[in-house]
Amino acid sequence: MMSKLGIIKCGLETLCTWLLLLLFPFPMNIRFRFLIVWVLMQFIAGRYRHKALLIWDELKFLFVSYICGYIASLMMFSYGHGFPWHDVFYLTLFYAIDFIVVVILNRYAHLWFWKHVKHNVLIVGTGPEARQLYSVCRRNRFSLMDPLGFVDCSSDPSLHVVQETEEKLPRKVYPWQKLEKAVADHDIDTILIAIPDLGKSDMKRIFGKAYDLVPNVNFMPRIDGEINFASQINDFDGSLLIATSRTRDPYFQLAAKRIADIIAAIPGMVILVPLTVYVWISNRRQGDKDPIFFVQERIGRDGRLFKMYKYRTMVPGAEAILEEMMERDAAIREEYEVNKKLKDDPRITKAGKFLREKSLDEFPQFFNVLKGDMSLVGPRPYLPREKEDMGDQYEDVIAMKPGITGMWQTHGRSDVDFDQRLELDAFYYRNWNLWLDFVLLIRTVKSMLGRDDQGAY
């Protein structure tokens, strides 16, 4: 079933595609066929049913629909009198331009019509998961979800929900007993249940009441690694089964990942030359005449140790200085043991602060990528001394090559502690595919160039 925005986008995109077709020297009957194929592929990809909650999902649907549409359109040409280079060139140009036009239309359609097609959302829960879900909804306008209030279930003695209420939530908090009033006050059509630890009886009651009030109910499940984004819900003759699988050795994707690493590492090494000159000059201007490169042993794939290269951003002898600082100050020791780094680290040089903020200190790692020790995208390269603290997550983290960038750099950077970084890296392993790498690379570039970026330390 098409969503309201899906109907709008279908009309706008079809009109723009047809107008673009008129600019190309195809016979009219071929234009009509191309348009029919184009529309058919958009529907087969499911683009107008609002299945995509993130722009990355929408891009994936677009890639699939355009590649399939392009191949289907190629089959309409006559190849009996030689290869129709002229027609194929125009078809390729048409699909390339149309793709860009449709991506732009998608972007602005969500902004132009947001107020008219958005979902009024009520979040059931008042804990950190509810707050996180609210933040995601607010910064991700593509999902069309507008959170207008929270519901506190712990206020009802018949529910066994134990939750730590946030001191201050950004929207009004309703007690569970006034759920109907909250739905009516804000014309709610979607309820998000953000209490992962719900018991069976509580879940049954909350779900039952929510389904009676609104047409859309989503919930945040408790996930301890047994479910990933490759999981599928199956009807097994009346029994609901969740199939979770992960190909341990996806040879084609791993080969493609390695090829992409080499292709990216070559221009990275070229950029490294002028960047190294810049770092050398900057250090000398500030009176820092020590070596500009820093070499450190890190844990690689399958637990093998390798030497990782970075620009030096700390004063020489930083490790010894850290030990002294931790001996003198218990608060510093506690901060380092929890986060494995310090927020206001006095060991960082003036030039090093800038390099860290823009992640430029990682550029020498392109040499590690070229050697095969690291990948462009992957888990964080952990220190050997951190192995003990990694616990059960260790095996998941070392199953992939460490990366220059990854989940933790694009999902919080310095705002996540050591345990959260481990969870993000384990998530990457369980859900890895080439598309995830593509998304993380785009997010890394946005993070480096974005004005609102808080930087790393």
Side-chain angles (χ1 to χ4, degrees):
M1 183 177 176
M2 291 175 68
S3 65
K4 286 191 289 186
L5 185 59
I7 295 171
I8 295 169
K9 289 200 298 186
C10 180
L12 285 174
E13 292 174 9
T14 303
L15 177 62
C16 287
T17 300
W18 174 247
L19 292 175
L20 186 61
L21 271 171
L22 294 176
L23 300 177
F24 286 84
F26 298 122
M28 190 59 70
N29 63 327
I30 293 294
R31 286 179 181 145
F32 278 117
R33 290 178 191 176
F34 284 165
L35 186 67
I36 291 169
V37 166
W38 182 90
V39 172
L40 186 62
M41 291 304 168
Q42 307 313 305
F43 276 95
I44 290 174
R47 285 200 48 240
Y48 302 127
R49 287 180 286 172
H50 194 56
K51 290 166 62 179
L53 296 180
L54 295 169
I55 184 63
W56 318 113
D57 300 327
E58 181 70 9
L59 282 174
K60 187 190 292 185
F61 291 146
L62 274 168
F63 274 122
V64 170
S65 64
Y66 271 71
I67 289 170
C68 293
Y70 178 72
I71 293 171
S73 299
L74 280 175
M75 297 172 67
M76 294 183 185
F77 293 126
S78 173
Y79 296 91
H81 303 287
F83 192 84
W85 293 104
H86 187 265
D87 292 333
V88 170
F89 168 76
Y90 281 121
L91 180 68
T92 305
L93 187 61
F94 159 70
Y95 264 90
I97 296 173
D98 194 63
F99 180 83
I100 296 170
V101 170
V102 169
V103 167
I104 294 171
L105 267 178
N106 259 273
R107 157 79 174 163
Y108 287 100
H110 281 75
L111 298 176
W112 292 334
F113 303 104
W114 193 79
K115 287 184 179 180
H116 307 287
V117 298
K118 70 181 177 71
H119 296 283
N120 292 334
V121 174
L122 196 63
I123 298 176
V124 175
T126 55
E129 293 87 359
R131 184 63 183 261
Q132 179 190 3
L133 207 56
Y134 172 85
S135 298
V136 172
C137 289
R138 292 297 296 170
R139 69 172 179 263
N140 173 30
R141 292 172 68 86
F142 193 89
S143 68
L144 303 179
M145 291 188 181
D146 185 15
L148 301 174
F150 295 85
V151 176
D152 183 7
C153 295
S154 60
S155 62
D156 191 333
S158 64
L159 293 171
H160 305 92
V161 177
V162 178
Q163 239 181 304
E164 194 174 317
T165 305
E166 294 275 349
E167 288 184 7
K168 186 179 180 182
L169 288 167
R171 289 287 185 270
K172 184 175 180 179
V173 179
Y174 292 85
W176 170 252
Q177 298 90 331
K178 294 188 176 180
L179 179 63
E180 293 93 340
K181 182 180 186 319
V183 170
D185 284 353
H186 300 291
D187 192 22
I188 300 295
D189 65 1
T190 300
I191 287 179
L192 303 181
I193 301 172
I195 313 175
D197 295 321
L198 273 178
K200 187 175 181 180
S201 60
D202 287 342
M203 185 178 290
K204 189 174 181 180
R205 184 172 178 194
I206 291 174
F207 265 72
K209 193 167 183 179
Y211 277 127
D212 289 340
L213 293 172
V214 297
N216 307 309
V217 179
N218 299 292
F219 76 101
M220 183 183 287
R222 179 175 179 175
I223 298 175
D224 295 316
E226 67 274 12
I227 297 175
N228 57 31
F229 287 115
S231 301
Q232 293 182 340
I233 298 176
N234 299 314
D235 177 5
F236 192 60
D237 197 19
S239 297
L240 188 148
L241 289 183
I242 298 177
T244 300
S245 62
R246 185 186 188 281
T247 305
R248 296 291 170 183
D249 294 302
Y251 298 111
F252 172 77
Q253 291 203 65
L254 284 174
K257 183 178 175 71
R258 181 59 187 147
I259 292 169
D261 285 342
I262 294 170
I263 292 172
I266 292 171
M269 292 293 290
V270 173
I271 296 171
L272 193 61
V273 175
L275 189 59
T276 299
V277 173
Y278 165 77
V279 173
W280 186 86
I281 293 172
S282 296
N283 283 4
R284 292 303 184 271
R285 281 179 177 172
Q286 291 163 22
D288 187 345
K289 297 182 180 180
D290 290 297
I292 63 172
F293 290 108
F294 174 69
V295 183
Q296 192 176 47
E297 209 167 52
R298 296 291 179 113
I299 301 173
R301 187 176 182 185
D302 298 327
R304 291 190 297 268
L305 298 179
F306 71 98
K307 292 189 183 299
M308 189 188 76
Y309 302 92
K310 295 179 72 172
Y311 285 124
R312 181 178 56 81
T313 58
M314 292 186 176
V315 296
E319 292 292 319
I321 295 172
L322 175 64
E323 292 296 329
E324 282 182 31
M325 289 166 57
M326 290 195 296
E327 281 181 18
R328 291 197 310 265
D329 194 327
I332 288 177
R333 176 176 291 278
E334 183 182 357
E335 182 184 352
Y336 186 80
E337 286 177 351
V338 171
N339 298 319
K340 305 302 178 189
K341 56 183 175 179
L342 304 175
K343 186 166 186 178
D344 298 311
D345 198 330
R347 300 173 299 159
I348 298 175
T349 64
K350 195 171 182 181
K353 188 171 188 285
F354 170 75
L355 290 172
R356 286 189 170 212
E357 283 175 353
K358 295 302 178 183
S359 298
L360 295 175
D361 60 318
E362 314 285 353
F363 255 76
Q365 291 169 30
F366 277 109
F367 181 64
N368 291 115
V369 173
L370 203 59
K371 284 175 62 183
D373 296 328
M374 293 179 64
S375 181
L376 203 59
V377 184
R380 176 179 178 263
Y382 289 85
L383 290 162
R385 68 165 177 262
E386 295 172 336
K387 180 178 177 180
E388 247 181 69
D389 298 325
M390 293 168 74
D392 296 337
Q393 309 276 32
Y394 175 76
E395 293 298 330
D396 282 352
V397 172
I398 65 166
M400 304 287 290
K401 286 181 184 179
I404 295 179
T405 188
M407 289 291 298
W408 80 274
Q409 293 97 326
T410 58
H411 290 74
R413 302 186 77 188
S414 300
D415 296 327
V416 294
D417 60 27
F418 184 74
D419 289 336
Q420 289 172 315
R421 291 201 293 271
L422 283 170
E423 288 174 13
L424 288 169
D425 286 336
F427 172 94
Y428 174 81
Y429 163 68
R430 291 193 297 266
N431 295 281
W432 174 76
N433 55 48
L434 290 174
W435 185 258
L436 178 58
D437 279 2
F438 172 77
V439 171
L440 293 178
L441 282 172
I442 297 298
R443 291 190 66 154
T444 299
V445 173
K446 286 182 67 178
S447 176
M448 290 174 67
L449 301 178
R451 293 181 180 178
D452 58 341
D453 182 32
Q454 295 176 349
Y457 59 82

